[in-house]
Amino acid sequence: MTTSRQQERSDATRTKLMDATVDCLAELGWSGTTTTVVARRAGVSRGAQLHHYPTRAELVLAAVQHIGAARFAEVRERAALLPTGPGRTAAVLDMLARLHTGPLFRAMLELWVAARTDPVLREAVVPLEAEVGCETHRLTVELLGADESRPGVRVAVQQTLDMVRGLGISALLSDDGPRRRHVLDDWARRLDARLSDQHLEAPHGPA
């Protein structure tokens, strides 16, 4: 077998393991996501799993980082289809809400809870969460066209992210779609007002 072919097979095995790990975290929780269960769900041998990721922590963190990057890439593709003008803010909020109610977010929540009492996992999860948080904030600012140098705009963006995260947590036990829609629509109107103030306050160019 050529080196190129071996690399392709290795990459395919890692991808299967990562997808299976996220699925297990979202469906079975941290305690149910064992390396044996993940290998079985991925359809790979136990030896292959141990070769690529010797410990559960390494497997889980690699999976979340990989799928997180893929998720942001998908969001950017969808962002290109977002409407401009009226309705854009509501569409951005809907996208963010979906980002915080999917399997990746549920998997991340399992890591947060487990990391609270696991020092080794915590050491890895804290910087990972900071990275995800910074990228989400930056993406939100970009999609909204928000000028964070204006008073109150940065706070409004952070409030938006806190809100969609809270909605995602609430959806874990009871997914009340209509209520979430009402909250998002109401906040979109408030956020539009804040961002409109931002543009009104912007300095004028030369006459």
Side-chain angles (χ1 to χ4, degrees), residues 104-163:
L104 175 63
F105 182 70
R106 293 197 297 272
M108 287 294 291
L109 282 179
E110 290 293 332
L111 286 181
W112 294 346
V113 174
R116 188 179 67 86
T117 56
D118 186 329
V120 175
L121 186 61
R122 180 182 177 84
E123 185 177 350
V125 168
V126 169
L128 173 60
E129 170 56 20
E131 179 183 348
V132 171
C134 287
E135 175 63 15
T136 303
H137 187 104
R138 188 181 68 79
L139 180 63
T140 302
V141 169
E142 178 184 322
L143 294 179
L144 292 174
D147 180 1
E148 291 193 299
S149 69
R150 309 305 304 177
V153 173
R154 182 174 179 80
V155 171
V157 171
Q158 194 55 54
Q159 288 173 331
T160 298
L161 295 176
D162 289 343
M163 180 195 68

Side-chain angles (χ1 to χ4, degrees), residues 75-97:
V75 169
R76 287 196 171 280
E77 289 181 5
R78 293 183 181 183
L81 303 177
L82 287 172
T84 57
R88 181 175 177 84
T89 300
V92 170
L93 293 185
D94 184 66
M95 178 185 293
L96 290 172

Side-chain angles (χ1 to χ4, degrees), residues 32-86:
T33 305
T34 65
T35 53
T36 301
V37 170
V38 169
R40 185 183 306 122
R41 177 169 293 209
V44 305
S45 69
R46 183 88 165 97
Q49 179 262 305
L50 291 173
H51 170 73
H52 291 289
Y53 304 103
T55 68
R56 180 171 69 160
E58 289 177 290
L59 176 65
V60 169
L61 291 172
V64 173
Q65 288 175 319
H66 174 79
I67 303 300
R71 182 59 174 156
F72 280 120
E74 178 184 359
V75 169
R76 287 196 171 280
E77 289 181 5
R78 293 183 181 183
L81 303 177
L82 287 172
T84 57

Side-chain angles (χ1 to χ4, degrees), residues 160-201:
T160 298
L161 295 176
D162 289 343
M163 180 195 68
V164 293
R165 182 182 292 115
L167 290 174
I169 294 173
S170 297
L172 289 175
L173 298 178
S174 177
D175 189 5
D176 186 354
R179 174 181 172 277
R180 183 167 63 247
R181 181 74 271 154
H182 174 75
V183 171
L184 290 172
D185 288 344
D186 180 70
W187 185 248
R189 289 191 292 270
R190 295 172 185 271
L191 192 56
D192 269 333
R194 177 66 268 178
L195 296 179
S196 294
D197 289 344
Q198 158 193 315
H199 296 303
L200 290 174
E201 295 169 1

